[in-house]
Amino acid sequence: SGSADLVIQLAVNFSSADLNGLEVISPLTLISTATLRDGNGNHAALNFAPLLMPAVTIDSKKPTTSKLAVVTAKIYKAGDTLSLLAEFDKPVVITNTPRIAVLIGATTVYANYVSSPANNKALFNLSIGFGHNDSDGISIIGPLDVAGASIKDLYNNDIDTGLPVISNGPIYVDNTAPNVLTVVGPSNGHYKVGSLLLFNVTFDSPVQVYGGPKLVLAIGGKFYFADLLQEISTTEKVFAYTVGPDVASSTGISLDSAFDMNVGGIKDIAGNNLINIIATPDLTGVNVDVVSPWITSISVPLSKTYKLAEVLEFDLQFNEPVNVSNNISLTPRIALNIGGVFVNADYLSSV
């Protein structure tokens, strides 16, 4: 070149970072058959004192999203706000509103940038709508959408728009309200004071019962309530009513077509309220009888004098059919006073 001043340059067109300063390493390197001589043909000495340049730094590495997580891991429903927290591998500066595409079921929605809780973090929010359902877990659709916006590091390098998967998934979206599948009531029969009338209620998805919902029973023209007795599982609950002394019906009972929610409710895990419609079972064979039967009349033996081995027969009439114990030692008897001697007339049969 005929000059004592040589200029050597490096174009920073690669991804690298050195924030501690550059070091120029000896010796000068000649490529292939290149030479470096003075005007008299003397080869130049290629060694030099190495140079340390702490003030000369390079950062051409794009920032990347190192982690993406849902702030609150739960099952989401309509009206909820789902927040995504993105963490970057270095501090960034965000302008305008970048966004992240999220697939919920078969629907693509966008979580928009709202704030930066730290210089290497960004918060993105989306609102869950009524039409959103995802039983497999939501997924992220890359790349990061920065149209009209920007995310740059402190050295003005644009972000690498690739996105990782959600780190704390799966995250579900459930906008399907639970239903009552079946209600199985008590077996047909007669129930007396103190008897439990049990109702087994099955739901089509797991539910949470709170605040004392009740089943409404109509018995003899009056209304009574069956309270939650047992939770067999998340989808099966037992409600019970204890027959009281003022209850009676010989034509069966009936169940109202909806729960009385009282001050509570029934919801699924996502918080969707129960569709409060009950397909009521046939309970016309469930009778409630709290009045003890009584003797309305006694037919006595014929008026005559009875001798040895003859039978005195008494016919007792009750106000309603009764069942006699089949244990001979527990069958009913009538006490008789015959000439100052007390004897018993034992039960013979029912007619």
Side-chain angles (χ1 to χ4, degrees), residues 4 16-17 24 28 31-32 64 72 102 136 154 164 188 201 221 243 274 290 311 340 347:
S16 183
V24 181
L28 186 65
I31 299 175
S32 188
T64 61
T72 303
V102 180
D136 299 323
L154 302 182
N188 290 343
V201 183
V243 175
L274 175 75
V290 300
V311 176
Y347 168 74

Side-chain angles (χ1 to χ4, degrees), residues 10-235:
L10 169 69
V12 182
N13 55 8
F14 52 91
S15 178
S16 183
D18 187 345
L19 301 181
N20 296 319
L22 299 186
E23 178 184 2
V24 181
I25 302 172
S26 177
L28 186 65
T29 303
L30 299 179
I31 299 175
S32 188
T33 59
T35 61
L36 191 60
R37 303 180 184 184
D38 63 13
N40 296 318
N42 298 306
H43 289 279
L46 301 181
N47 292 314
F48 59 88
L51 299 176
L52 297 177
M53 298 177 291
V56 179
T57 58
I58 290 178
D59 187 352
S60 60
K61 185 178 179 182
K62 291 184 175 184
T64 61
T65 305
S66 56
K67 183 179 179 181
L68 190 61
V70 175
V71 174
T72 303
K74 67 171 189 174
I75 299 176
Y76 286 80
K77 69 179 192 310
D80 289 342
T81 297
L82 188 151
S83 298
L84 292 168
L85 182 65
E87 295 187 22
F88 308 106
D89 63 348
K90 62 167 89 174
V92 296
V93 176
I94 300 176
T95 57
N96 296 328
T97 310
R99 60 184 189 170
I100 295 173
V102 180
L103 185 64
I104 302 178
T107 304
T108 300
V109 294
Y110 290 90
N112 294 310
Y113 168 72
V114 290
S115 65
S116 294
N119 61 13
N120 68 329
K121 296 181 181 179
L123 194 65
F124 296 79
N125 284 353
L126 69 85
S127 294
I128 302 298
F130 285 98
H132 296 154
N133 281 286
D134 198 318
S135 59
D136 299 323
I138 65 173
S139 56
I140 300 300
I141 303 175
L144 180 65
D145 185 353
V146 291
S150 67
I151 301 178
K152 299 175 180 286
D153 66 13
L154 302 182
Y155 304 99
N156 212 38
N157 296 303
D158 286 310
I159 192 165
D160 181 334
T161 56
L163 290 170
V165 298
I166 294 173
S167 63
N168 58 340
I171 302 298
Y172 302 107
V173 177
D174 181 4
N175 276 311
T176 303
N179 290 273
V180 175
L181 279 182
T182 60
V183 177
V184 178
S187 301
N188 290 343
H190 289 77
Y191 294 82
K192 61 181 181 178
V193 174
S195 298
L196 274 180
L197 301 183
L198 300 178
F199 300 85
N200 192 297
V201 183
T202 303
F203 302 88
D204 65 353
S205 61
V207 295
Q208 300 168 330
V209 179
Y210 65 96
K214 306 170 185 292
L215 290 174
V216 183
L217 310 178
I219 306 175
K222 297 180 180 180
F223 293 101
Y224 303 91
F225 298 99
D227 297 303
L228 179 65
L229 175 69
Q230 181 184 8
E231 298 198 53
I232 296 175
S233 69
T234 56
T235 58

